[in-house]
């Protein structure tokens, strides 16, 4: 009995040890932050509860049957030789005496066909209804964002606003967002657990989904389909902003550098020259400059992003310098090569990119 209690205690601790951190984690999907994730979570819980009901009932009957109808031979075992013979007899008798046979019992057959049928119906109706609700267009009021998966970063394009950004998708709170999901290379999967379930990003194909955030905040997501070396480092953030802040971001996008003084302005101008003349411009675009590359993330608002290279580094000037001077040491195998810059060029280009906010 003591063993049993200990095992139960350890099991409970194990379950709590896993469940509590999972529930507190930023990607705990049963703590929805918008209507799509909420509807999906409710359907999941409905199915889970029905399944738990079946599990408890069936295993309850099984355990009851095992205990209630087990072979009782203890009494005879104590009486030695004679007991053994008696036990053999009991066993033989038990084999002969079959329990009541129920094969072909119409009433029972109908009952245990009907019960699963009704349970499946209870699951099927909301499943079909939700599938249609999720596939439906979120309406003319929706903001459209084209999501393109790249090895190993995310591109977000707002066709209605003429904006392109990377790895951080800014959205206004309380407004449905229609997502057009595509891939530039291999199959990726867009997933922001607190806002909505997963959706594949498949090359040569367009998938659609929608989501909405009810509260301002940062919602964490990541690629959910193995896509190569840095699949695990292909993170993203959805930044849900109050309408006014979102409008400010839209208005500021592409306005160019924000500087405090003349000295900074000079550094930023030099940095822009570096960006437009060294290899950077071939792969990155910055609105209002000669840089129009598309192999890497659009850097027009890089100074306002919170992370670098799909969530691998905090966006600070030190980390920006570290990334630009040697991306391969930060994210080995990443598709950004090392571009040899002098210390001055590096400092200026960091000043320039940091000012783009
Ligand atoms: C051959 C193409 C290529 C060149 C040249 C290149 N980059 Fe990149 N860059 C990329 C790619 C691809 C990524 C995304 C890497 C990842 O996250 O896996 C990237 C990422 C970045 C990021 C992080 C962007 C983000 O959204 O987090 C910055 C900043 C950056 N590059 C700056 C530069 C600068 C400055 C130069 C010139 C010195 C440069 N890059 C040259 C392809 C390139
Ligand atoms: Cu991936």
């Amino acid at each position: 009995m003591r063993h049993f209690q200990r095992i139960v205690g350890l099991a409970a601790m194990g379950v709590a040890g896993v469940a509590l951190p999972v529930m507190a984690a930023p990607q705990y999907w049963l703590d929805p932050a918008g209507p799509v994730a909420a509807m999906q979570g409710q359907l999941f819980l409905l199915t889970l509860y029905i399944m738990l009901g079946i599990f408890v009932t069936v295993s309850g009957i099984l355990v009851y049957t095992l205990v209630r109808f087990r072979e009782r031979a203890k009494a005879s075992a104590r009486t030695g030789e004679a007991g053994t013979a008696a036990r053999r007899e009991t066993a033989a008798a038990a084999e002969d005496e079959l329990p009541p046979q129920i094969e072909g019992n119409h009433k029972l057959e109908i009952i245990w066909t009907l019960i699963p049928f009704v349970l499946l119906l209870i699951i099927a109706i909301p499943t079909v209804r939700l599938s249609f609700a999720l596939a439906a267009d979120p309406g003319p009021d929706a903001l459209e964002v084209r999501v393109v998966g790249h090895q190993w970063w995310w591109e977000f394009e707002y066709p209605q606003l003429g904006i392109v950004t990377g790895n951080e998708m800014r959205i206004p709170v309380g407004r449905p967002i229609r997502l057009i999901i595509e891939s530039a290379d291999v199959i990726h999967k867009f997933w922001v657990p607190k806002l909505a379930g997963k959706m594949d990003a498949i090359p040569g194909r367009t998938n659609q989904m929608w989501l909405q955030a009810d509260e301002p905040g940062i919602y964490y997501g990541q690629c959910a389909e193995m896509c190569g070396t840095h699949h695990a480092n292909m993170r993203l953030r959805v930044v849900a902003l109050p309408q006014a802040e979102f409008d400010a971001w839209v208005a500021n996008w592409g306005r160019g550098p924000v500087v405090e003084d003349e000295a900074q302005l000079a550094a930023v101008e030099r940095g822009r020259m570096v960006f437009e003349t060294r290899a950077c411009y071939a792969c990155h675009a910055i609105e209002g400059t000669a840089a129009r590359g598309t192999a890497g993330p659009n850097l027009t608002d890089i100074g306002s992003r919170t992370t670098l290279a799909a969530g691998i580094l905090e966006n600070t000037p030190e980390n920006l310098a570290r990334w630009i001077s040697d991306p391969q040491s930060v994210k080995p195998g990443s598709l950004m090569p090392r571009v040899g810059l002098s210390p001055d060029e590096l400092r200026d280009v960091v000043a320039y990119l940091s000012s783009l906010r």
Side-chain angles (χ1 to χ4, degrees), residues 101-182:
Q101 297 298 292
I102 51 168
E103 199 190 328
N105 183 322
H106 286 261
K107 214 169 165 188
L108 280 177
E109 297 279 356
I110 288 172
I111 290 175
W112 62 47
T113 305
L114 269 184
I115 293 177
F117 178 76
V118 170
L119 290 178
L120 285 178
L121 211 61
I122 295 176
I123 296 175
I125 292 170
T127 302
V128 172
R129 277 171 56 178
L130 182 61
S131 304
F132 279 101
L134 295 181
D137 192 273
D141 181 41
L143 176 69
E144 187 164 306
V145 183
R146 193 171 143 254
V147 176
V148 186
H150 294 258
Q151 284 175 318
W152 291 278
W153 56 281
W154 297 95
E155 180 181 349
F156 302 115
E157 187 197 345
Y158 301 65
Q160 297 150 329
L161 306 172
I163 285 180
V164 185
T165 185
N167 298 324
E168 264 165 53
M169 180 167 94
R170 270 153 235 267
I171 59 169
V173 159
R175 186 161 163 202
I177 313 295
R178 181 193 302 112
L179 299 179
I180 310 293
I181 302 193
E182 294 168 10

Side-chain angles (χ1 to χ4, degrees), residues 17-145:
V18 173
L20 292 178
V22 164
M23 286 165 72
Q27 295 190 157
Y28 179 55
W29 58 280
L30 280 177
D31 177 23
V36 172
M39 291 188 286
Q40 290 167 335
Q42 277 160 11
L43 180 63
F44 169 80
L45 288 178
L46 173 76
T47 314
L48 180 76
Y49 293 145
I50 291 178
M51 200 191 72
L52 276 178
I54 295 172
F55 175 75
V56 169
T57 311
V58 172
S59 31
I61 295 174
L62 178 66
V63 169
Y64 170 81
T65 313
L66 288 177
V67 174
R68 173 74 179 72
F69 300 105
R70 73 189 186 281
E71 191 187 355
R72 288 188 186 79
K74 271 187 191 141
S76 49
R78 247 181 262 120
T79 53
E81 284 288 308
T84 318
R87 199 161 68 216
R88 260 191 233 118
E89 256 166 50
T90 328
E95 259 172 44
D96 292 341
E97 251 181 68
L98 286 173
Q101 297 298 292
I102 51 168
E103 199 190 328
N105 183 322
H106 286 261
K107 214 169 165 188
L108 280 177
E109 297 279 356
I110 288 172
I111 290 175
W112 62 47
T113 305
L114 269 184
I115 293 177
F117 178 76
V118 170
L119 290 178
L120 285 178
L121 211 61
I122 295 176
I123 296 175
I125 292 170
T127 302
V128 172
R129 277 171 56 178
L130 182 61
S131 304
F132 279 101
L134 295 181
D137 192 273
D141 181 41
L143 176 69
E144 187 164 306
V145 183

Side-chain angles (χ1 to χ4, degrees), residues 151-153 166-167 275 278-280 283-284 295-299 302 305 307-310 320 323-324 331 334-337 339 341 349 353:
Q151 284 175 318
W152 291 278
W153 56 281
N167 298 324
F275 198 89
R278 308 300 303 268
C280 323
C283 294
H284 295 283
N298 186 303
L299 299 179
I302 184 69
R305 293 187 210 157
T307 64
L308 295 173
L320 201 50
W323 169 259
I324 294 168
K331 205 170 173 178
S334 139
L335 300 183
M336 169 153 160
V339 180
L341 298 178
V349 89
L353 293 179

